[in-house]
Structure formats: C-alpha cells, structure tokens
Amino acid sequence: MKFFPVFSALAAMLSCTAVVSAQSDPDPIGTIYDGHVPANLYGSSYPYPWPVKQFNFFNQRQNLSMAFMDIPAKKRLKNRKTAVLLHGGNFCGVTWSDTARQLSAAGYRVILPDDIGFCKSSKPQGYAYNIHQQALNIHSLLTVLGIEKVTVIGHSMGGMIAARYGLMYPTSVQQLFLVNPLGLEDWVAKGVPYLSVDASYQSGLGQNFTTLKAYEQASYFHNAPWKPEYDTWVHMLADIYASDYGSDYSYVMALVTDALLSQPVIHQFPVLQTRTYLLVGDSDVSALGKAWSPPAIAATLGHYAELGPAAAAMIPNCTLRMFPGLGHAPFLQDPKAFYKVLLSLLD
C-alpha cells in the first residue's frame, strides 16, 4: 500500500505537533504531520487553499493518514471557538472553503478534514467504513489537536457522521448543524433492495465527469439551473476516479454505500442531546439506493420538504430552517442565503 509520509520514528520526530494521548487510552492515538505533501495526494490533485496537514494514526490494523486543513480565526473572541466541517460523499473538505472563510471571519478556528477513504486521505480497501468509525476518527483528530469543545457542521453523508458524533460525544459538542443530511429516512425499511458491494464497485468503475455531473444535476440541483462554478467540484471528484487510485476509490465508495444503507441515524434522533440546527433545502430529492430501486419504491424516497420537518420534530432540542427552492447543497446554490442563516444561529 502507499503511504504519505512514510510512517516511521523519523516522521514522528519531524512532526510539528506532539503526540497527544486520548483520555481513555494511555497510548498515543496519532501524530500530526505538517511538512511537505505531494500535490497529488492519494489520487487527489485538486489544489487546496490552505496547507494540507496529515493526521497519521493506526486503526483497524493498518496505518492511515487523514488529510485536513486548519484555518485560524481572523478575529479574537473572548472564548475561543472551533468548528469542524464534515463533507458529503461526493465532496471533499475543500468544498467547505467559502464557509470556512465566513466562520474564520466570525472568530472561529476551522478544521476541514477529508474522511478516511476520501479525497486526499488514505483509501484502505479492507476497512469498516461505518459512520461510528468515521465519527471516532474525527474525535481522535480533534483530541490530538487539543480541541475539547467544537461546533460540528455536516453536509449530506457528513451530516450523518455529524449526528452520530453528537450521539457519541454529546459533552464535546457546542452546537450541531446538519445540512441536508443523509439518514433522515430508513432506505432499507422503505424497500430499497440490497446491492452487493461487488455490483456497486463495478458501477463505480465507469464514473467520469459526464456521469457525475448528470447525477449531481438531477439529485443535488433538482429543477435548478446548473452554474458553471459547480463544474469544479465535479472535476475534483472525476480526477480521483481517473487517477491511479481510481479503482481503490470505487471500492471505497462501494463499501461506504453498503455501510450507510445499514446505518440511518433517524432512529436515534429522539435521544440526541446536543443543541441541533437542521438546515434543509426543500427541493432536495437525494436518496441512497434510489438509482437501483423499482420505480414505485424510488418515488417514495428523498422528499426533503417532508423529511426535514419530520426529523426536526424527533430531535428534542432542534431548530429547523428550510431554504425554499434550494436543493441538496444550499451552501453552494445560494451562499448568501445560507450564510445569513448559519451566522445568525452561531453562538
């Protein structure tokens, strides 16, 4: 397998951040490497606006590297605040760049990770890509960075991970923002048939700019004009599929799909303790499994205009904000409207 940088005692010594131990485990949980990284990292050559750092750790019997950006606050607040932004399955941490600038200007330190398996992070083939594990990985990163309290903002798949993070670490969450999260419905319970990992992997091998754009246009920006600036995010993803890691990435996505289908978070919403904000574009029609479901089943999936209010009613301490006419990614489709709402709700 390929690793950046080489995991060795020398790499650990060169790390500019010392090893920090988890409170529940006396052993080191990882190190931060903030030296030079290749422009093309694990198949992703997309340029990031801030230096890419790596959280190197040992997990599930293998060495892993999680890429992330650490953006300092542009103004000093009386109480230091940090936000971690979790990306969707067809996006990367860098997709949150404009939101990160808004939060930095508002006084937040911002952490933008690429989940394990995605973008500039390592792509292990034998790995349990469940949302509990991804939430634990994020918590380990924040622990090593010395961050105890955090505002968590997650979009799409990242919204599922953010909700699970709130369930797993309620005392560590200042505020929880779920932006058009997946998992607001139980796809399997609604009749989505099982798709084998092998079949999912084979379909992923054919992904390219044209197929990815067609999917995002139909699902993410339903009945809305496609803007030229959206192309950059499609290229970002298509370039990974076209890279030497393309086959690995296709298999990762198959494993992720399999994990997400079996782990909807909606059933745990009534026990979510954190202060939660559900931000939903009401024209969103995204649903995992819709593409391979029978038409009668597909027609019942992904109605966020109904799913949003229903989910908000299940969460004890939840504020719902709907964005009329916006789809799966309101922060990309209408940034002005999105930031107006987001910044008004921040502590």
Side-chain angles (χ1 to χ4, degrees), residues 1 3 57-64 124 126-128 133:
M1 294 184 69
F3 296 102
F57 62 107
F58 188 80
N59 180 245
Q60 296 187 24
R61 302 183 65 187
Q62 54 196 312
N63 292 319
L64 301 175
Y127 196 72
Q133 180 65 66

Side-chain angles (χ1 to χ4, degrees), residues 10-33:
L10 178 60
M13 291 173 60
L14 291 175
S15 173
C16 293
T17 302
V19 174
V20 179
S21 297
Q23 293 179 358
S24 61
D25 188 347
D27 297 324
I29 59 172
T31 59
I32 303 298
Y33 174 81

Side-chain angles (χ1 to χ4, degrees), residues 20-345:
V20 179
S21 297
Q23 293 179 358
S24 61
D25 188 347
D27 297 324
I29 59 172
T31 59
I32 303 298
Y33 174 81
D34 61 2
H36 172 74
V37 298
N40 189 332
L41 191 58
Y42 292 107
S44 172
S45 58
Y46 190 88
Y48 282 19
W50 297 281
V52 175
K53 302 181 181 183
Q54 292 174 296
F55 172 44
N56 297 326
F57 62 107
F58 188 80
N59 180 245
Q60 296 187 24
R61 302 183 65 187
Q62 54 196 312
N63 292 319
L64 301 175
S65 177
M66 178 189 290
F68 70 99
M69 292 177 283
D70 189 345
I71 300 96
K74 282 196 172 182
K75 73 176 182 180
R76 190 180 299 274
L77 298 177
K78 183 178 180 180
N79 298 315
R80 293 183 179 180
K81 296 184 178 180
T82 303
V84 58
L85 278 57
L86 307 181
H87 63 82
N90 281 325
F91 297 104
C92 301
V94 69
T95 312
W96 281 118
S97 292
D98 285 344
T99 305
R101 293 185 183 95
Q102 294 285 331
L103 293 172
S104 175
Y108 279 76
R109 176 186 180 183
V110 184
I111 309 298
L112 297 179
D114 286 344
D115 285 324
I116 291 298
F118 293 82
C119 309
K120 293 185 184 293
S121 292
S122 54
K123 298 171 175 58
Q125 300 297 280
Y127 196 72
Y129 284 98
N130 60 74
I131 58 175
H132 301 76
Q133 180 65 66
Q134 296 285 23
L136 188 153
N137 293 345
I138 298 298
H139 190 258
S140 297
L141 167 63
L142 297 177
T143 300
V144 171
L145 292 174
I147 299 170
E148 297 179 354
K149 275 280 194 187
V150 67
T151 290
V152 183
I153 304 175
H155 166 243
S156 191
M157 178 195 73
M160 281 187 76
I161 297 171
R164 182 58 60 187
Y165 191 97
L167 289 163
M168 293 171 66
Y169 310 105
T171 60
S172 298
V173 178
Q174 188 85 23
Q175 297 172 284
L176 182 64
F177 288 86
L178 309 179
V179 184
N180 283 76
L182 294 181
L184 297 188
E185 57 188 330
D186 189 331
W187 304 290
V188 174
K190 286 189 170 183
V192 171
Y194 178 69
L195 181 69
S196 72
V197 170
D198 290 333
S200 182
Y201 165 66
Q202 288 297 325
S203 67
L205 291 175
Q207 293 283 26
N208 54 43
F209 178 86
T210 301
T211 62
L212 291 167
K213 180 176 179 178
Y215 169 76
E216 293 188 15
Q217 189 167 13
S219 298
Y220 294 173
F221 306 99
H222 182 63
N223 287 333
W226 181 268
K227 299 177 183 178
E229 55 263 36
Y230 300 158
D231 283 349
T232 187
W233 308 121
V234 183
H235 279 298
M236 175 186 68
L237 199 60
D239 289 349
I240 301 175
Y241 279 107
S243 74
D244 291 341
Y245 284 85
S247 179
D248 289 352
Y249 193 56
S250 296
Y251 193 64
V252 166
M253 294 302 289
L255 294 175
V256 168
T257 299
D258 189 66
L260 295 182
L261 276 170
S262 63
Q263 296 178 344
V265 292
I266 189 170
H267 302 302
Q268 285 78 51
F269 278 169
V271 297
L272 188 58
Q273 302 173 29
T274 58
R275 186 151 47 98
T276 303
Y277 298 93
L278 186 56
L279 310 183
V280 174
D282 69 2
S283 291
D284 191 0
V285 294
S286 303
L288 210 59
K290 181 188 287 189
W292 66 83
S293 293
I297 299 297
T300 69
L301 304 174
H303 300 292
Y304 273 76
E306 302 168 6
L307 295 173
M314 298 176 65
I315 301 173
N317 189 9
C318 182
T319 299
L320 173 68
R321 291 288 186 272
M322 302 290 288
F323 295 95
L326 299 187
H328 190 61
F331 62 100
L332 297 178
Q333 195 172 357
D334 191 344
K336 185 177 180 180
F338 179 78
Y339 298 142
K340 182 179 179 180
V341 171
L342 176 66
L343 297 176
S344 71
L345 296 175

